[in-house]
Amino acid sequence: MLSREERDRVEEFGFLIRKAVFDQAEIAEMIDHYMAINAEGSHPGDFAGVPSKSGSDQPDPLQKYPRLIQMHHYDEKTRAWMNDPRLVEPVSDVLGQRAVLIQTMLYFKPPGARGQSFHQDNLYLRTTPIAAAWVALDRADEENGSMLMASGSHKLGLLEREEADTDWSFTSDATKVPAGVEWTPTALDPGDVLFFGGLVIHGSYPNRTKDRFRRSFICHYEGEHATKLSGESQLH
Ligand SMILES: O=C(O)CCC(=O)C(=O)O
């Protein structure tokens, strides 16, 4: 359950950080588990990103560490983690109704990897309400491309789409960000969780470090009484 103060924060800013939700042993297990899945080879939906617009002669680190998606379709441990009450209960409070999982993802974001353009999750997932639980597996800060949140942007409604700058984003779609938006950088430690609603504009810059991954386990949920938006849902 969210406290009164946490609910107020979600209402005002559209997101919330909870510290040390998972302990270090749990996080070490998640890291080992997903690194082993990566080492096994490819899985349905693995995504290494679109080509960059100016074309780079450097190998893209995401080729070796593509984003995993819908791991719960083939992985029992993911099913346990996505149903963990420490994620599902706060997300249900953010949604205002019981959370039903629609998407799991694992970002490895190795050193040198591109980030992800600024977007609202409802650009892709065409159902409302939705919310995410973003679990930090490594320290995530400005240097390795932590999440940037546009505070209060959930109040702007669903915004227009535009092309992303694929020189720094591994995805090609973006939300057209209105002038005057206020960006809040996040800095998370392993085990912290960032909760946010589907209309909050967010994204992350590239990992500029030489030696630090920025891994995150992410679950997206819809409300049990969610309604469809126009357009086809895409995993993203
Ligand atoms: O982790 C990132 O850099 C982006 C994640 C994201 O866009 C999301 O969880 O919806």
Side-chain angles (χ1 to χ4, degrees):
M1 287 280 285
L2 297 184
S3 65
R4 180 73 257 164
E5 198 195 327
E6 287 176 315
R7 278 169 201 260
D8 289 348
R9 291 187 70 79
V10 170
E11 210 170 298
E12 185 174 354
F13 304 118
F15 66 93
L16 169 80
I17 292 169
R18 273 194 164 176
K19 300 293 291 176
V21 172
F22 291 91
D23 68 32
Q24 295 315 299
E26 292 174 299
I27 293 300
E29 185 186 353
M30 285 189 199
I31 291 178
D32 287 351
H33 182 66
Y34 288 119
M35 292 305 266
I37 287 186
N38 169 265
E40 263 168 33
S42 70
H43 300 83
D46 284 2
F47 183 55
V50 297
S52 66
K53 71 176 191 302
S54 52
S56 164
D57 49 6
Q58 298 300 314
D60 188 330
L62 289 180
Q63 294 296 332
K64 189 160 174 222
Y65 293 102
R67 180 186 64 188
L68 306 177
I69 202 151
Q70 304 303 64
M71 301 86 75
H72 59 287
H73 289 172
Y74 58 83
D75 178 44
E76 202 171 314
K77 283 195 174 182
T78 299
R79 287 195 284 277
W81 288 322
M82 77 193 197
N83 286 322
D84 192 303
R86 290 169 292 180
L87 301 184
V88 177
E89 284 175 13
V91 169
S92 298
D93 276 359
V94 171
L95 291 167
Q97 43 190 283
R98 196 176 64 86
V100 178
L101 183 109
I102 49 177
Q103 178 174 268
T104 52
M105 300 194 292
L106 197 287
Y107 283 63
F108 293 97
K109 202 165 185 180
R114 284 176 288 169
Q116 182 160 1
S117 61
F118 298 114
H119 64 278
Q120 296 170 307
D121 286 337
N122 272 136
L123 177 65
Y124 301 97
L125 301 168
R126 308 295 297 175
T127 170
T128 187
I130 57 170
W134 193 105
V135 182
L137 304 186
D138 295 294
R139 164 88 188 163
D141 51 33
E142 218 178 306
E143 285 287 294
N144 64 355
S146 60
M147 291 276 273
L148 271 166
M149 311 301 290
S151 290
S153 55
H154 59 303
K155 296 179 186 159
L156 301 171
L158 188 52
L159 299 161
E160 269 177 66
R161 177 204 168 276
E162 67 177 9
E163 292 294 310
D165 180 347
T166 54
D167 279 345
W168 68 266
S169 170
F170 86 125
T171 53
S172 55
D173 295 296
T175 287
K176 203 168 192 171
V177 179
V181 151
E182 197 179 303
W183 291 104
T184 305
T186 61
L188 301 184
D189 291 309
D192 295 352
V193 182
L194 168 65
F195 296 96
F196 55 98
L199 287 175
V200 186
I201 310 170
H202 62 280
S204 65
Y205 287 123
N207 181 345
R208 297 195 310 260
T209 70
K210 297 231 172 318
D211 53 4
R212 291 167 53 215
F213 277 74
R214 193 232 66 186
R215 289 165 289 208
S216 47
F217 169 60
I218 308 169
C219 299
H220 288 97
Y221 306 83
E222 65 180 354
E224 64 177 327
H225 305 299
T227 53
K228 299 275 170 240
L229 294 170
S230 64
E232 195 147 323
S233 262
Q234 273 172 271
L235 299 173
H236 83 289

